[in-house]
Amino acid sequence: MTRLHKTITTLLSTMGLIISGSTVLAQPASSRIPRCVDAFKPDLTPNPAHALNPRRIFAVVLGPYRFSVPWVFLSSRPRADLHSCELGVNKLAIQFRFNGNVSIPISEIDYSYDGVGFGNDAPSDLVEIQALQFYDRAPQDYFDPSLRYRNTIRAVTAAGSVKVIDGLEEIKPGWSATEGTHWHLATDDTEVFISCDLIDLCTGFLNLRDLHLSAHITLKQHSVSELRKIDATLRSLISNWRENQ
């Protein structure tokens, strides 16, 4: 009887270890790694640590979403020597390319960029999302492209124009000879409103309606015609980074 009792106890203990181990493995990355401490504080030591793998993961929680984002895609970047941890932010700042290396299979295209921002070495297809955030019912007014679009359309003067080019609305309000151009794209799932002035960079707002994610976006002026590809690339990245709930 004693031997039988020991056998049963051993089996139960083994099963408990298996079950508890499976539970740990099933947890999302953001619950398995610690919160970041001083993530954006520069390393000012005389002998700074070597930069770690740029593909290491940082967890970000936006509303109901848990994302595991590689360091190299973060535009507001944690220190290069900081190990994986969870960023305590409610807005995600990222950068990505929407073309990548087209000479390799689509599944292997690298949309990352090692640099930061639109410097001289930045690729021509770079896009920066200053703030990607979750909303419950509607985006904040500041992040709402539909509100900005309606306000701009109402302000178009007789000297202005509104026309459609390759499915994008081009809006020139006609306020002055030196004004910029606004662009609007609306589909069932996405709405974008972009403003371009006389410099190379354009800024605007993007709403992923079906995901309840809105964003402040910056891109180069020649990239505006690629808004559909930018939308598709961003959605692909979000899908890849999103942890199963």
Side-chain angles (χ1 to χ4, degrees):
M1 182 65 69
T2 302
R3 180 177 298 177
L4 177 61
H5 180 266
K6 288 182 177 180
T7 301
I8 293 173
T9 301
T10 302
L11 286 173
L12 289 175
S13 299
T14 303
M15 290 176 63
L17 288 173
I18 293 173
I19 292 172
S20 63
S22 299
T23 302
V24 171
L25 291 175
Q27 290 176 345
S30 54
S31 67
R32 297 200 305 269
I33 62 179
R35 286 288 290 267
C36 301
V37 178
D38 295 331
F40 305 102
K41 185 177 180 180
D43 185 358
L44 301 179
T45 58
N47 298 305
H50 294 294
L52 301 175
N53 181 0
R55 295 283 169 176
R56 68 193 185 281
I57 296 301
F58 284 81
V60 177
V61 179
L62 300 181
Y65 299 119
R66 292 178 178 271
F67 297 114
S68 294
V69 185
W71 180 90
V72 72
F73 283 96
L74 295 168
S75 61
S76 180
R77 285 180 174 166
R79 296 193 315 274
D81 64 327
L82 187 69
H83 289 274
S84 293
C85 52
E86 180 184 330
L87 294 171
V89 297
N90 57 12
K91 297 176 183 177
L92 177 60
I94 59 174
Q95 61 182 21
F96 62 91
R97 302 174 62 186
F98 60 84
N99 279 326
N101 184 352
V102 296
S103 65
I104 61 179
I106 293 178
S107 61
E108 300 176 14
I109 290 179
D110 184 0
Y111 292 108
S112 66
Y113 166 51
D114 291 337
V116 178
F118 293 91
N120 293 333
D121 297 330
S124 62
D125 62 339
L126 184 66
V127 173
E128 185 173 13
I129 303 289
Q130 283 87 353
L132 178 70
Q133 62 180 14
F134 173 80
Y135 63 87
D136 187 13
R137 296 185 179 180
Q140 298 176 14
D141 287 352
Y142 181 80
F143 285 85
D144 191 349
S146 63
L147 180 61
R148 291 176 176 270
Y149 169 69
R150 292 195 301 270
N151 290 341
T152 302
I153 286 292
R154 283 197 293 264
V156 173
T157 68
S161 65
V162 179
K163 58 184 178 180
V164 178
I165 302 176
D166 294 332
L168 302 180
E169 280 187 90
E170 178 197 70
I171 308 164
K172 296 184 176 181
W175 302 327
S176 69
T178 59
E179 71 184 7
T181 302
H182 306 279
W183 298 88
H184 179 247
L185 171 68
T187 68
D188 291 341
D189 295 328
T190 302
E191 185 168 12
V192 193
F193 184 80
I194 301 292
S195 299
C196 301
D197 53 23
L198 300 181
I199 62 175
D200 185 44
L201 293 181
C202 303
T203 62
F205 300 87
L206 178 150
N207 181 14
L208 303 178
R209 294 165 168 162
D210 55 325
L211 299 178
H212 284 223
L213 292 170
S214 59
H216 185 194
I217 182 173
T218 299
L219 64 163
K220 294 196 173 183
Q221 192 160 179
H222 64 257
S223 298
V224 172
S225 61
E226 303 283 5
L227 281 177
R228 292 179 184 82
K229 183 181 289 187
I230 292 170
D231 174 42
T233 303
L234 176 59
R235 287 177 176 276
S236 177
L237 291 172
I238 287 175
S239 177
N240 289 337
W241 296 339
R242 182 178 174 182
E243 298 175 357
N244 295 326
Q245 302 297 304

